[in-house]
Amino acid sequence: MAEKLGLFKNFLSCHVCSETFRDPVSLSCNHNFCSSCLQKFWEQAKNQKCPICKRKSSKDCPDVNLALKELADSFAGRQKAGSSEIKKSREKKLTVVCRKHEEKPKLFCVDEQRAVCPVCDFPHHQSHKVVPVEEAVSDLKKHLESDLKSLQDKRNKYKQVEETYNEMIQHSKKQLLSTERQIRAEFNKLQQFLEEEEESRLAALREEEEQKGRTISREMKMIEERNKYKQMVKTYNEVREHIKKQLLSTERQIRAEFNKLQQFLKEEEESRLAALREEEEQKGRTINREMKMIEEQISSLSDSISAVEEELQKHSVPFLSSYKDTQSRARAQSSVSDPQLVSGALIDVAKHLGNLSFRVWEKMKEKVHFSPVILDPNTASGWLCLSDDLTNMRRQDAKQQFPENPERYIKHTNVLGSEGFRSGKHSWEVEVGDHPDWIVGLIKESADRKGERSALPKYPIWCLWHNSGKYTNGDGQTVKVKKSLQRIRIQLDYDRGEVSFCDPEDMTHIYTHRDTFTEKLFPFFSIGEAGDAKTSDIKIFQTEM
C-alpha cells in the first residue's frame, strides 16, 4: 500500500519544485509541471524547451490540465488531513500518562518529578510525596520563572559589555585621530627647528664670509695705498677667491646634513604613524572577536529566554512532559561565567606620545656620530685631501691650489685640529691601519707652519711617528711596541703636562711625553705616501652619541 502511495505521489509531483502540482500544465511531449515553475524555468533558460526532454514547446502559455489539477488538489488535501491527525494523536499522547487509562493525570510525584496514573502508579508512590498536578505545575513554574530571571540578568550583563565595547570602538577611533594629529604636530615642530637651525647656520656662515671679506678688502686697500707688497696682494686675492669657494662648498654640505636629518624625521614620523595604525587595527580585531562571542552568547541567551517563556505558556501535562529539558538548558546558560572586558583594548596613547620629541632625538643620535677632533681645512697642506665631515685625511698625487694663508702648512703634509686646548683632559683615537708613514700628537699654536720641522725641544711637538715599520717619539727616540698598531689613543692632561699614547684594543701603554705647557695646544696629524698599503686614509675614530 505504501509503495503504491509513493508511486501515486511521484506521479503528482512537479519535476522542477518536487512538490505536489499547483495549477499543472501539460506540454505536447506529455510532461507535466506547475504553471509557475515552468514559466520561471523558461525565463532562466531563456528558451521554451521542456525541462525533462528538451523538446521545444509549441505554446507560450500552456493551458492548465483541469483533470490533473483536481487529482493533485485532492491528494494534497488528504495529505494535509493526515498530518493534522498525526499531530492530534501526538498532542493526545502528551495529555496522558497511562496507556490503559487514557485520562488526564491529576497527581504528580515530587520525589520522582513526574505525573502518575491514579490507578496504576499511585500504589507504588504511597511513600512518596504526591501532590495535585495543578499545585506541582504552579511550583515548577515559579522555579522556571526564577531561572528566566537569571537568564534575563545574564543577557543584560552581556548587553552591557556589548555596549561598553561599542563605546570603546568609538573612543579608539577618536584616539587614533587625536594621536595622529599630535604626532604630526610634534614632528612639525622638529622639522621647524631643523629648518630654523639650518637657516641660522647658513646665515652665520654668510656673515663670517662677509666679515672676512671686509677685513681682506680693508687690508688690501692699505697695501695698495703703500704701493708695495705685490706678493701679499696676490695672496689676499687668492684668499678672497678661496673664501667664495668655501662658502659654496660649506653651504652645500650644511644643506646635505640637514636634508639627512629632515629625511630621518619624515621616515620616523611615517614609522610611528604606521605603528599607531597597526595597534588600532590589531586592537580593533581583538574587540571585534570579543564582540562576536558576546553577540553569539546574547543570541543563545535570547533563544533560551524565548524557550522558557514559551514553556511557561503551556498547560499542566504538556508543561510537565517538557519542562525538564527547558529548565536544564536554562540553568546551564545561567551558569556560564559573567562576561569580562578585555584589558588593554584601547590605544596605548602614552606609548605613542610620551616624551615623543625626546625619544625621536635619542633615536636620531643613533644615526649620527660625534668626533672629538675636527680637522681644520684652513691649516691643511695642498697635498692633503680631507673628507666632507673633516674626520678623514689622505695624501693625493696632485697638489691643490690653496692660498698661502698664515694658518696653512706649506712644505709638509700636515693638518691641525680645529679646536685648541689650554686646560683640562682630552682624548681621541686615530685609525692608521697598515699605513706606512704618519705622525699623530699635539703641537703648540706658535709652531712655525712654513719652514722646516724638527724634533723637540727646538720644534714644539709631542707626537708618535711611524715610518717604515719603526716607531719614534717627538725627540727622535725609538719606541718599542708589542705589535703593529692599527689604532692609537692620544690623551692630553694639560694641567699635569702629559701627552700619552696607548693601544685602545688592550689599553697597552706606548709612551708618555712630560712637559710644562704654557700656550694653546692643537691636535696634530701628518701623513706620507701610502705606497702598497691597504690603508690610504688616516681617520679620527667617531663615537656614537
Side-chain angles (χ1 to χ4, degrees):
M1 182 68 183
E3 186 178 350
K4 289 181 179 180
L5 186 64
L7 290 171
F8 192 57
K9 184 179 180 181
N10 247 359
F11 173 72
L12 295 175
S13 294
C14 171
H15 285 277
V16 176
C17 68
S18 300
E19 300 289 337
T20 304
F21 288 128
R22 295 184 301 279
D23 297 328
V25 294
S26 298
L27 300 179
S28 56
C29 57
N30 292 324
H31 289 127
N32 306 309
F33 307 95
C34 298
S35 177
S36 59
C37 292
L38 183 64
Q39 292 300 325
K40 286 180 183 177
F41 181 85
W42 281 354
E43 286 175 10
Q44 291 174 357
K46 296 181 179 179
N47 59 46
Q48 293 181 337
K49 294 180 179 179
C50 172
I52 298 175
C53 65
K54 306 303 179 184
R55 184 184 299 177
K56 188 174 181 179
S57 172
S58 57
K59 295 182 179 180
D60 293 342
C61 295
D63 297 328
V64 174
N65 186 330
L66 296 176
L68 187 60
K69 172 179 169 56
E70 186 177 345
L71 192 60
D73 289 349
S74 175
F75 179 76
R78 289 190 179 187
Q79 287 283 93
K80 187 174 181 181
S83 297
S84 178
E85 288 298 320
I86 292 170
K87 185 176 180 182
K88 286 179 181 178
S89 175
R90 286 177 181 170
E91 288 178 351
K92 183 178 180 182
K93 286 182 181 179
L94 286 175
T95 61
V96 300
V97 292
C98 179
R99 291 180 180 178
K100 294 180 180 179
H101 308 93
E102 293 188 355
E103 60 181 34
K104 290 184 179 181
K106 297 178 180 178
L107 300 176
F108 182 81
C109 179
V110 177
D111 294 344
E112 292 188 4
Q113 288 289 298
R114 70 181 182 88
V116 294
C117 175
V119 180
C120 301
D121 293 334
F122 186 72
H124 305 293
H125 291 263
Q126 289 183 357
S127 61
H128 294 175
K129 184 179 179 180
V130 177
V131 297
V133 164
E134 289 77 9
E135 181 183 335
V137 169
S138 177
D139 289 342
L140 291 171
K141 283 190 175 183
K142 286 179 182 178
H143 291 305
L144 199 54
E145 286 169 355
S146 176
D147 295 331
L148 176 62
K149 178 69 166 54
S150 297
L151 284 173
Q152 290 169 336
D153 291 344
K154 182 73 71 175
R155 183 175 66 177
N156 288 339
K157 289 179 181 178
Y158 273 92
K159 284 186 174 181
Q160 182 61 47
V161 170
E162 181 183 39
E163 184 179 344
T164 303
Y165 272 131
N166 281 323
E167 291 172 355
M168 290 169 72
I169 289 171
Q170 296 304 315
H171 187 68
S172 289
K173 290 178 180 177
K174 292 178 182 178
Q175 279 186 316
L176 175 66
L177 295 175
S178 173
T179 308
E180 274 190 342
R181 186 178 65 252
Q182 292 177 69
I183 288 175
R184 292 189 189 281
E186 285 297 313
F187 275 92
N188 282 339
K189 288 179 186 177
L190 295 175
Q191 290 281 9
Q192 182 65 29
F193 166 77
L194 285 182
E195 289 170 6
E196 291 173 357
E197 184 68 14
E198 179 181 3
E199 286 306 314
S200 173
R201 290 179 179 272
L202 289 171
L205 173 66
R206 297 185 195 108
E207 173 61 27
E208 181 180 355
E209 188 268 344
E210 290 172 4
Q211 184 268 324
K212 291 189 174 180
R214 289 193 295 269
T215 300
I216 291 174
S217 296
R218 186 171 59 250
E219 291 294 321
M220 287 186 68
K221 185 177 180 181
M222 291 170 61
I223 292 170
E224 288 169 355
E225 287 174 353
R226 295 173 187 173
N227 198 25
K228 54 182 178 178
Y229 307 125
K230 291 183 178 179
Q231 182 58 42
M232 193 173 290
V233 171
K234 181 183 177 184
T235 301
Y236 271 130
N237 281 325
E238 291 174 350
V239 168
R240 185 155 53 187
E241 290 303 313
H242 188 67
I243 286 175
K244 291 178 181 178
K245 292 178 182 178
Q246 281 184 313
L247 174 65
L248 295 175
S249 173
T250 309
E251 274 190 342
R252 185 181 65 253
Q253 291 179 63
I254 287 175
R255 293 189 189 280
E257 285 299 315
F258 275 95
N259 282 340
K260 288 179 186 176
L261 296 176
Q262 287 167 344
Q263 183 61 30
F264 164 79
L265 284 183
K266 288 178 183 177
E267 292 173 359
E268 185 66 13
E269 179 181 2
E270 286 308 313
S271 172
R272 290 180 180 272
L273 288 172
L276 171 66
R277 296 184 195 109
E278 172 61 26
E279 181 181 349
E280 190 269 343
E281 290 173 5
Q282 185 268 322
K283 290 189 172 178
R285 290 193 293 270
T286 299
I287 291 178
N288 288 336
R289 185 172 61 249
E290 292 294 318
M291 286 276 285
K292 186 177 180 182
M293 294 168 59
I294 295 278
E295 288 166 359
E296 289 174 354
Q297 195 62 33
I298 289 174
S299 176
S300 178
L301 285 166
S302 296
D303 290 343
S304 295
I305 287 170
S306 297
V308 172
E309 289 173 339
E310 185 179 335
E311 195 69 34
L312 289 171
Q313 297 300 316
K314 291 180 180 179
H315 296 294
S316 57
V317 177
F319 171 81
L320 291 174
S321 65
S322 60
Y323 87 94
K324 284 185 179 179
D325 289 341
T326 304
Q327 187 177 58
S328 296
R329 288 195 299 272
R331 290 182 174 178
Q333 287 265 273
S334 297
S335 65
V336 173
S337 58
D338 289 342
Q340 299 294 325
L341 288 167
V342 175
S343 60
L346 295 177
I347 293 173
D348 190 351
V349 176
K351 178 184 74 175
H352 294 284
L353 295 181
N355 294 320
L356 177 58
S357 294
F358 175 77
R359 289 188 288 116
V360 171
W361 282 122
E362 270 197 326
K363 192 168 182 180
M364 186 178 286
K365 281 162 57 177
E366 297 174 4
K367 303 291 183 182
V368 298
H369 296 85
F370 171 77
S371 178
V373 172
I374 297 297
L375 301 174
D376 183 358
N378 292 334
T379 67
S381 163
W383 293 101
L384 289 181
C385 179
L386 307 185
S387 61
D388 287 344
D389 63 359
L390 303 177
T391 60
N392 296 5
M393 71 208 84
R394 61 181 173 83
R395 181 164 179 161
Q396 57 186 13
D397 297 332
K399 184 179 181 181
Q400 300 176 82
Q401 294 303 312
F402 291 146
E404 294 185 5
N405 51 297
E407 303 89 351
R408 192 176 306 281
Y409 281 94
I410 302 301
K411 292 190 176 182
H412 301 283
T413 52
N414 302 342
V415 63
L416 300 184
S418 60
E419 182 183 359
F421 310 114
R422 285 188 179 275
S423 63
K425 295 180 180 180
H426 309 273
S427 68
W428 58 95
E429 295 178 12
V430 182
E431 292 184 4
V432 294
D434 66 343
H435 199 288
D437 189 6
W438 48 260
I439 304 173
V440 295
L442 286 123
I443 192 170
K444 283 185 180 181
E445 184 177 23
S446 60
D448 180 21
R449 304 183 189 186
K450 307 299 180 186
E452 295 296 332
R453 178 183 67 219
S454 58
L456 282 170
K458 185 178 179 181
Y459 195 71
I461 183 171
W462 298 267
C463 65
L464 183 65
W465 185 354
H466 176 257
N467 183 259
S468 302
K470 181 180 178 182
Y471 296 90
T472 57
N473 60 23
D475 296 325
Q477 299 170 342
T478 300
V479 176
K480 293 183 179 180
V481 296
K482 293 182 179 179
K483 60 180 181 178
S484 178
L485 299 173
Q486 301 294 305
R487 185 187 295 180
I488 300 100
R489 174 176 292 180
I490 299 100
Q491 295 174 303
L492 167 66
D493 188 336
Y494 189 98
D495 301 323
R496 293 184 63 179
E498 292 181 352
V499 178
S500 300
F501 301 88
C502 69
D503 184 346
E505 289 186 7
D506 55 11
M507 298 308 293
T508 302
H509 177 259
I510 300 171
Y511 185 79
T512 297
H513 289 284
R514 290 180 175 85
D515 207 332
T516 301
F517 305 135
T518 57
E519 61 178 280
K520 188 181 286 188
L521 304 182
F522 283 85
F524 177 87
F525 308 87
S526 183
I527 184 171
E529 294 181 356
D532 296 330
K534 294 179 181 178
T535 306
S536 59
D537 293 14
I538 287 181
K539 305 175 183 179
I540 298 168
F541 183 70
Q542 298 180 346
T543 58
E544 292 185 356
M545 295 294 287

